[in-house]
Amino acid sequence: QPDTAVSLTRQMSLVSEEFKAAGYATHAIGKWHLGFQSWEYTPTYRGFDTFYGYLNAWSDYYLSKYGVVIDNVQELYRDCRDNEAEVVLQGNIPDDFSVYRFRDRAIEILENAAAAENAEPFFMYLAWQSSHTPSQAPDDYLQIYADEFAAMSAEDSDNFENYETRTYMQAQTTSMDDAVYQVTQKLKALDLWENTLIVFSSDNGGAAGEGDNFPLRGFKKTSFEGGIRVPAFVTGGYLSESMRGRILGVDGEYVHAIDWYPTLLEAAGITPALVKSNRKTEPQVVPQWETDVDYSVALDGVSIWPLLNGDADDEEDGERVAALQQTLRTRLLVLDFVNDEINDVVNGSLRIGHWKYVKGLGTADLYEGDDGWLWGEQFTHFDR
């Protein structure tokens, strides 16, 4: 049962489809959340050879069950798939914890790739569940933050639930850190590291009352920097040694998640072809909500590969990097639009250079306890 009655259109090409068409083995692990109104919108119909994970926004960490309200009744559904097959988990603690399961599947794929003769190059999308609702984590990781939680809740007992949730998220994040380490160590042990490029990125800032995005303003589900500006880094043996350890963006460049599509393709020497999967459950059937007219949705992103791996001492590379930096400092980004049906307005934000325009309250949720880092109590109208 989808949490949202919409899926990413099949008229949109995914980077997985580009890599698959170029001869790569493609794997998705973890969170999907791009819709599953029919099979045609699920990972193995969108360019991925394999998929292990869940399709909705979140799930139970151990049982991978998702709650949906149907006719005012809360129903629990299993939401874990191995390719298209449903996975029934027993909820064993801690072995069925999703971070461990996703780590183990990633390592299994790496081991198979290393053992295969004439193995294809691979593209792996590993979308960890951590850190996210619900509040679940192995005891070993919760113990790391037990003293901090006890001190904070004793000092401010009114916010006990927020502190408890924050402690679980800290434990979830630390478990993910360890899993990332184990996956990267396996890459090195299998002699795959030197020809691998890794991109690590978050998706949004911490939630109100639980996260701490200081000194950035706002929280998850807001248009402010605390909601949408996140850390990211690139590593791996494939990255030029001259670029390792460098910090990008210090001259005002800003990068968007959409830039990874053309960036990864350029790094792999693949020209974007806007490849779209044509796999269907039945060849003659048009997927739900689609037409039989073929549209090509152009790429919005910009490849930042020259900035990541360019040789600034080379004259030609230097000129290209300088031009790219200028583009990344001045381009217009439409960051988000949130339709507020209750107040009949559109909330959203635009950014160009050092300026950002925010229309509306700048948040998808109205939460209690605004500490002044959003608009403050005096700004109460969505349409100002």
Side-chain angles (χ1 to χ4, degrees), residues 25 39 76 105 122 132 178 231 240 249 280 293 318 356:
W39 280 112
L76 284 177
R105 178 54 61 94
F122 64 85
H132 202 282
D178 286 348
S240 169
K280 302 177 184 178
V293 178
K356 180 192 282 185

Side-chain angles (χ1 to χ4, degrees), residues 61-63 89-101:
Y61 275 83
Y62 294 98
L63 291 167
L89 296 165
Q90 300 305 311
N92 295 321
I93 298 174
D95 294 346
D96 283 342
F97 189 59
S98 69
V99 172
Y100 299 165
R101 290 185 283 114

Side-chain angles (χ1 to χ4, degrees), residues 250-308:
V250 294
D251 294 320
E253 304 93 340
Y254 44 97
V255 174
H256 194 279
I258 58 176
D259 297 327
W260 292 123
Y261 185 126
T263 299
L264 293 176
L265 292 183
E266 183 175 355
I270 301 171
T271 301
L274 302 182
V275 179
K276 291 175 287 188
S277 173
N278 57 12
R279 187 187 177 199
K280 302 177 184 178
T281 52
E282 298 179 41
Q284 72 276 15
V285 172
V286 177
Q288 188 177 0
W289 299 318
E290 301 284 350
T291 72
D292 56 4
V293 178
D294 185 24
Y295 297 97
S296 288
V297 181
L299 291 181
D300 291 318
V302 176
S303 173
I304 62 170
W305 184 240
L307 197 59
L308 294 173

Side-chain angles (χ1 to χ4, degrees), residues 138-212:
D139 287 342
D140 288 351
Y141 288 101
L142 285 171
Q143 288 303 313
I144 297 174
Y145 301 100
D147 291 344
E148 178 183 340
F149 167 63
M152 293 175 69
S153 55
E155 182 178 336
D156 183 9
S157 59
D158 291 341
N159 285 310
F160 176 87
E161 290 186 5
N162 284 342
Y163 293 144
E164 183 180 47
T165 301
R166 177 174 173 80
T167 299
Y168 272 101
M169 290 191 171
Q170 288 174 311
Q172 292 167 359
T173 301
T174 304
S175 74
M176 179 190 65
D177 287 345
D178 286 348
V180 169
Y181 172 78
Q182 290 161 335
V183 171
T184 54
Q185 288 300 107
K186 180 60 68 171
L187 280 166
K188 294 175 181 178
L190 295 172
D191 293 327
L192 296 173
W193 178 260
E194 291 304 318
N195 203 35
T196 297
L197 184 71
I198 296 176
V199 174
F200 183 93
S201 178
S202 183
D203 55 353
N204 50 252
E210 302 152 7
D212 182 358

Side-chain angles (χ1 to χ4, degrees), residues 209-368:
E210 302 152 7
D212 182 358
N213 304 312
F214 184 84
L216 303 180
R217 178 185 192 182
F219 305 97
K220 177 181 179 179
K221 296 186 179 181
T222 76
S223 299
F224 296 103
E225 295 296 276
I228 60 177
R229 184 175 175 181
V230 297
F233 66 83
V234 179
T235 187
Y238 191 73
L239 188 68
S240 169
E241 288 190 16
S242 65
M243 296 301 293
R244 297 176 191 178
R246 293 198 182 187
I247 298 175
L248 305 181
V250 294
D251 294 320
E253 304 93 340
Y254 44 97
V255 174
H256 194 279
I258 58 176
D259 297 327
W260 292 123
Y261 185 126
T263 299
L264 293 176
L265 292 183
E266 183 175 355
I270 301 171
T271 301
L274 302 182
V275 179
K276 291 175 287 188
S277 173
N278 57 12
R279 187 187 177 199
K280 302 177 184 178
T281 52
E282 298 179 41
Q284 72 276 15
V285 172
V286 177
Q288 188 177 0
W289 299 318
E290 301 284 350
T291 72
D292 56 4
V293 178
D294 185 24
Y295 297 97
S296 288
V297 181
L299 291 181
D300 291 318
V302 176
S303 173
I304 62 170
W305 184 240
L307 197 59
L308 294 173
N309 213 49
D311 183 356
D313 295 329
D314 180 271
E315 183 176 351
E316 184 175 343
D317 268 8
E319 291 178 357
R320 188 181 180 196
V321 167
L324 176 59
Q325 288 176 311
Q326 179 64 14
T327 297
L328 296 177
R329 283 193 291 263
T330 59
R331 64 175 173 169
L332 174 66
L333 284 181
V334 181
L335 294 175
D336 62 86
F337 283 110
V338 180
N339 185 29
D340 177 12
E341 296 178 356
I342 296 176
N343 296 280
D344 196 27
V345 296
V346 172
N347 297 328
S349 56
L350 306 172
R351 176 171 175 176
I352 185 166
H354 291 293
W355 293 93
K356 180 192 282 185
Y357 169 74
V358 179
K359 181 183 186 300
L361 191 59
T363 176
D365 285 346
L366 289 176
Y367 55 85
E368 297 180 359

